[in-house]
Amino acid sequence: MALLRVLGALLAVLGAYYFYTKETFSEEMVRGKRVLVTGSSTGIGEQMAYEFARMGAHVIVTARREEQLRKVVQKCLDLGASSASYVVSDMKNLTSAQKVIEETKAALGGLDHLVLNHVGGGATFQHFKGEMESLISCLTVNFFSYVQLTVSALDMLKESRGSITVVSSMSGRIPSPFSIQYSAAKFALEGFYSSLRTELHLRKVDLPITVAVLGYIDTDTALKAVGGKINMQASPKGECAREIVKGTALRQREVFYPYWTTKPVLLLRDWMPELLELFISQAYLVENIP
Ligand SMILES: NC(=O)c1ccc[n+]([C@@H]2O[C@H](COP(=O)([O-])OP(=O)(O)OC[C@H]3O[C@@H](n4cnc5c(N)ncnc54)[C@H](OP(=O)(O)O)[C@@H]3O)[C@@H](O)[C@H]2O)c1
Ligand SMILES: *[C@@H]1O[C@H](CO)[C@@H](O)[C@H](O)[C@H]1NC(C)=O
């Protein structure tokens, strides 16, 4: 009986703690904020731009395809963005990445949320055949350019007490056969940004970093790359974008989407790696992969 009472009291305290410390999301948090979303001509990045726009942020989108970007900017304005514009840039070129930040500063005078999301550099879904050049190109677009953008924006973000969001993947946390180069880039991001987060914290710099760990999302690129090659159901990109934007506004350390196909798997990773490997081996239709 005594034990039950203690347990009850403990639960009540935990419940109260959860209730009072958990900040709830409101669209007001985003209104008027200055946001740069990379890789926003299509896919999850495009959807995130629309989410920020709908809530009245100043939005800058960037990617390589100007025609696409122009359409995204128009839609952002229609949805209610405080302002919207685009910068054309190829993230394979780090000087060009740096210029995106300079143009952001020129356009908005500062930055509140840096949302790093682009993916490219010829990351394909196939056997690794040892191609060094494509590995280096993949790491340049999917890792080094993220770091370059961060380094260039750091002073602006400190000044605004802003935040950084990095879109990662389950491939940044567990083995990912047939996307070895992509996985290497995502693991690099996870190492860099989780270490940077802690380093900033220890130096008492208030600059939160949100890492979004995503499962399989129904963007055109993903469906085309892995459709028929893996045994999984894709989740909607719109809801995915909403969750990342929410996590960004709330300055959360991590976002898991979809939660139930990501978080539990990560618990297995450390405790039962053989079981995890078994699940992984059942998710791939190896005979369909080039
Ligand atoms: N979809 C999924 O299943 C999934 C799963 C886990 C994680 N993720 C992550 O979610 C993020 C978005 O993925 P997504 O599926 O939305 O991808 P996506 O639809 O292919 O969009 C990729 C974006 O990056 C841009 N991009 C590609 N190469 C570029 C380059 N060299 N320079 C500048 N921009 C470039 C593309 O625009 P341009 O072609 O116009 O340049 C596009 O806007 C990525 O970080 C990805 O790793 C996705
Ligand atoms: C890289 O970008 C810079 C700045 O936009 C540009 O001046 C330079 O020519 C680009 N380099 C290549 C190899 O495209």
Side-chain angles (χ1 to χ4, degrees), residues 93 95-96 99:
N93 176 343
T95 313
S96 176
K99 266 189 66 183

Side-chain angles (χ1 to χ4, degrees), residues 37-205:
V37 184
T38 70
S40 35
S41 62
T42 182
I44 299 162
E46 176 188 4
Q47 298 299 316
M48 287 194 283
Y50 297 154
E51 280 302 313
F52 280 116
R54 212 171 43 72
M55 296 184 261
H58 295 273
V59 181
I60 298 193
V61 291
T62 181
R64 291 168 304 177
R65 284 171 295 168
E66 183 163 13
E67 208 38 58
Q68 286 296 117
L69 289 172
R70 200 170 288 147
K71 285 183 199 149
V72 174
V73 163
Q74 188 50 54
K75 189 154 174 205
C76 283
L77 292 171
D78 294 343
L79 286 169
S82 286
S83 73
S85 57
Y86 68 82
V87 183
V88 175
S89 173
D90 186 342
M91 292 298 164
K92 206 176 164 187
N93 176 343
L94 299 183
T95 313
S96 176
Q98 204 171 344
K99 266 189 66 183
V100 173
I101 301 297
E102 284 165 20
E103 294 199 20
T104 299
K105 186 167 191 178
L108 301 178
L111 183 63
D112 296 297
H113 299 300
L114 173 62
V115 182
L116 301 169
N117 162 82
H118 60 275
V119 63
T124 51
F125 199 75
Q126 55 183 26
H127 293 121
F128 180 60
K129 302 183 191 73
E131 317 87 332
M132 286 309 293
E133 218 162 283
S134 86
L135 175 65
I136 291 167
S137 140
C138 181
L139 279 164
T140 304
V141 173
N142 301 316
F143 175 60
F144 292 124
S145 74
Y146 277 53
V147 174
Q148 178 66 69
L149 289 158
T150 299
V151 167
S152 303
L154 211 53
D155 284 341
M156 261 200 294
L157 292 170
K158 281 182 192 161
E159 198 182 306
S160 65
R161 306 191 128 235
S163 78
I164 301 171
T165 295
V166 178
V167 179
S168 183
S169 161
M170 284 298 277
S171 299
R173 302 226 168 163
I174 62 168
S176 303
F178 313 113
S179 17
I180 289 181
Q181 306 184 343
Y182 173 73
S183 174
K186 291 298 193 193
F187 266 81
L189 286 175
E190 296 266 359
F192 183 88
Y193 285 95
S194 63
S195 302
L196 179 65
R197 179 199 290 126
T198 306
E199 188 169 316
L200 291 169
H201 181 70
L202 291 177
R203 287 166 43 209
K204 303 202 178 359
V205 177

